[in-house]
Amino acid sequence: MSNSTLPTLPASDRPEAAARLRDALLGASFTADGLLDLLGAPAYAALARSETVPALRATRGDTPLETLVRLFLLQQPVPHARVADVLPVAECVASGWLASVGGDEVAATVDVRPYGGPDGEDWFIVSDLGCAVGGAGGIGSREEGVVLGVGGASTTLAGITVRTPVSAALDLGTGSGIQALHAARHATRVTATDVNPRALHITALTLALSGAPAADLREGSLFEPVRDDETYDLIVSNPPFVISPGARLTYRDGGMGGDDLCRSLVQEAGERLREGGFAQFLANWQHVEGEDWQDRLRSWVPRGCDAWIVQREVQDVTQYAELWLRDAGDHRGDTAAYEALYDAWLDEFEARKVKAVGFGWITLRKTGSDAPSITVEEWPHPVEQPLGDTVRVHFDRVDYLRAHDDAALLAAHFGLAPEIIQEQVGLPGAEDPEHVVLRQHRGMRRATKVDTVGAGFAGVCDGTLSAGRILDAIAQLVGEDPVLLRDRTPAQIRLLVEQGFLEPVE
């Protein structure tokens, strides 16, 4: 892989220079909140779409913050004297953060973007110039070794990751270091790997400029840089999951056939997890003719692991090819070349009998159980991020249900989860609703149909009575045999617990 046409990066072994640059950025309120105040919501949102005109209009003045926005976010040359009022210019040039251009101007060598941490931390994500918004936003770069910044995929993974304190965390395919930065908050030791040495360099810059501890950076593909005796409490990866004919772009194309890279990543993670540890990935997977996509994903789960797999989106093969051809800017080039590339993608899918591609999240938890729980579902609806606690509690509920048979469930006490509402659907004036829906307003924001017994049961659950006693009362109220009601209701209770509508009460 060659990075010969990409700019030289700042020195990653000058932590003192990064610390002084960080102090200067914070002193000028070059933060996520500071940008929002300066630019206003429309221009700030436009930057996330790689649209710079509104921000250019909002930074026509000469305040320190406007200078930094033009320099690092908009990649505009700025007069040396103006920058010197804000930054230690000589040191920034010597350490490579800035470069002299046009005689009396300086320009940034990398994109530096403020990024708010989950507890209000002021972080900075470093990326290659023009590549601050990653993923399918269409950066239009064909550089093989380019390193992207923050995109929707990276923030999604950060939001779903379980954030309990751990001893060791591993970020596979670290890119610009976003996941490693998040992990540094709650992991004693962070290891970050990438096949692209430029990405490791930029990760070191991101961590240093954000004031985070340095990570153990290792070059190599997937688990290759990890020693056989190393295991982790947390493994995260936003891998190059794009299913493409070849591996043109390191940041997105895995280089393996079909969805083999994602499958290998998931299957190999089991051996690297410590008991109770989590592995969380974003992935793409093929929908193959004559094969159930859920069965395909179940076959990926390694032995000794519970799994929760959520498909968030499905695209047919033409949509998928167009998305990633536009991501690389191929649609803006020669028409014949674009059509040839498009044809190659469709040839690849046709050869593999792929009719669509799914995108979603995969979470593994190492349990060693002989009866693992594997949940594969489709949920394309809006959710409430961050979801890390929701993911953790999902597996707590799995443990609870695995340990309680029907008799134990009926003896247990439950409470209705917070912010659950009931909706009744039916014809106007009808005595009884056609069906009742319970709906969450937090986390996954699920909705599930229940019968009148299920609705009544959930409404009464406040932790004071056992499930069996509540059912006995309902049986008496509706004139039903209590024994038959006890026999048929545990399955519905299990579903309500599994999906988070009911919570066990000690």
Side-chain angles (χ1 to χ4, degrees):
M1 176 181 61
S2 172
N3 294 326
S4 59
T5 61
L6 292 171
T8 301
L9 293 171
S12 59
D13 58 353
R14 297 279 300 275
E16 70 289 346
R20 279 190 279 275
L21 176 56
R22 172 178 171 80
D23 288 343
L25 297 178
L26 294 177
S29 296
F30 188 67
T31 63
D33 288 341
L35 289 184
L36 183 59
D37 290 341
L38 171 67
L39 302 177
Y44 189 77
L47 270 182
R49 303 190 299 269
S50 295
E51 295 289 349
T52 59
V53 172
L56 285 168
R57 292 173 60 86
T59 55
R60 291 169 173 169
D62 57 2
T63 66
L65 182 54
E66 287 170 299
T67 297
L68 294 176
V69 171
R70 283 192 162 251
L71 189 65
F72 286 115
L73 268 63
L74 305 178
Q75 280 97 57
Q76 299 291 309
V78 179
H80 184 288
R82 183 174 165 185
V83 179
D85 291 337
V86 189
L87 301 177
V89 175
E91 185 174 27
C92 287
V93 170
S95 56
W97 291 96
L98 300 177
S100 296
V101 295
D104 63 347
E105 293 183 318
V106 293
T109 60
V110 288
D111 186 295
V112 175
R113 191 147 303 229
Y115 180 75
D119 291 327
E121 300 93 341
D122 290 315
W123 290 339
F124 299 95
I125 306 299
V126 181
S127 62
D128 274 313
L129 294 173
C131 298
V133 181
I139 65 165
S141 175
R142 296 178 185 145
E143 293 284 359
E144 184 182 358
V146 71
V147 179
L148 275 59
V150 180
S154 53
T155 55
T156 293
L157 178 58
I160 68 172
T161 300
V162 176
R163 299 295 177 192
T164 53
V166 296
S167 173
L170 173 63
D171 176 16
L172 290 175
T174 187
S176 56
I178 301 162
Q179 309 308 324
L181 181 58
H182 277 276
R185 293 177 57 252
H186 62 102
T188 304
R189 176 173 58 89
V190 177
T191 301
T193 73
D194 205 289
V195 71
N196 182 1
R198 187 176 183 85
L200 297 176
H201 191 138
I202 284 182
T203 291
L205 297 175
T206 290
L207 294 172
L209 195 58
S210 298
D216 178 6
L217 304 177
R218 303 183 190 178
E219 183 179 347
S221 177
L222 302 181
F223 288 101
E224 287 177 3
V226 179
R227 296 192 304 270
D228 291 342
D229 61 343
E230 289 182 300
T231 55
Y232 298 87
D233 306 291
L234 174 66
I235 300 172
V236 293
S237 184
N238 176 18
F241 51 65
V242 176
I243 301 171
S244 59
R248 281 198 306 157
L249 301 174
T250 303
Y251 71 84
R252 70 168 206 193
D253 300 323
M256 297 185 185
D259 53 16
D260 283 354
L261 182 137
C262 291
R263 176 186 55 79
S264 298
L265 183 63
V266 173
Q267 290 181 336
E268 293 175 22
E271 297 178 358
R272 302 298 183 178
L273 277 178
R274 296 173 181 172
E275 193 74 13
F278 287 91
Q280 298 187 261
F281 316 106
L282 301 186
N284 280 186
W285 43 78
Q286 299 173 150
H287 285 227
V288 180
E289 292 180 17
E291 178 185 66
D292 186 301
W293 68 271
Q294 293 179 319
D295 289 343
R296 182 182 190 85
L297 290 173
R298 288 189 185 95
S299 73
W300 290 9
V301 178
R303 291 173 58 87
C305 289
D306 292 332
W308 184 20
I309 302 173
V310 182
Q311 180 168 274
R312 295 287 291 156
E313 183 180 0
V314 180
Q315 291 186 330
D316 67 52
V317 292
T318 59
Q319 292 175 304
Y320 190 80
E322 291 163 16
L323 171 68
W324 295 108
L325 289 169
R326 288 178 177 274
D327 170 71
D330 293 311
H331 63 301
R332 293 193 291 266
D334 177 75
T335 301
Y338 170 75
E339 291 176 352
L341 286 169
Y342 198 151
D343 208 35
W345 282 65
L346 297 186
D347 282 345
E348 180 81 4
F349 287 132
E350 185 177 344
R352 294 180 176 276
K353 298 183 178 180
V354 176
K355 58 184 180 179
V357 177
F359 169 85
W361 320 323
I362 298 177
T363 299
L364 307 177
R365 185 189 57 165
K366 187 69 169 287
T367 64
S369 172
D370 293 331
S373 168
I374 301 177
T375 300
V376 184
E377 62 176 318
E378 185 166 19
W379 189 253
H381 310 294
V383 299
E384 182 191 44
Q385 285 276 33
L387 277 170
D389 283 344
T390 298
V391 173
R392 176 184 56 79
V393 173
H394 166 86
F395 288 95
D396 290 343
R397 293 195 296 264
V398 165
D399 286 340
Y400 178 87
L401 292 173
R402 189 157 42 203
H404 288 71
D405 59 16
D406 287 355
L409 276 185
L410 293 174
H413 295 237
F414 300 96
L416 191 65
E419 297 193 39
I420 303 294
I421 65 170
Q422 175 179 303
E423 300 173 355
Q424 297 187 170
V425 180
L427 294 174
E431 183 175 347
D432 296 313
E434 291 181 12
H435 59 262
V436 179
V437 174
L438 299 182
R439 187 178 301 277
Q440 300 169 346
H441 279 257
R442 305 296 301 274
M444 291 292 287
R445 295 179 174 171
R446 294 186 185 277
T448 189
K449 288 184 182 180
V450 292
D451 59 20
T452 53
V453 170
F457 179 86
V460 174
C461 282
D462 60 4
T464 58
L465 297 175
S466 70
R469 291 189 62 187
I470 292 174
L471 290 177
D472 290 343
I474 292 175
Q476 184 175 7
L477 184 65
V478 299
E480 190 168 340
D481 186 331
V483 175
L484 294 178
L485 192 61
R486 279 174 171 255
D487 283 344
R488 70 176 177 85
T489 306
Q492 192 168 190
I493 296 175
R494 283 187 181 278
L495 179 65
L496 293 175
V497 172
E498 179 185 351
Q499 295 190 345
F501 290 93
L502 294 179
E503 298 176 342
V505 176
E506 293 295 333

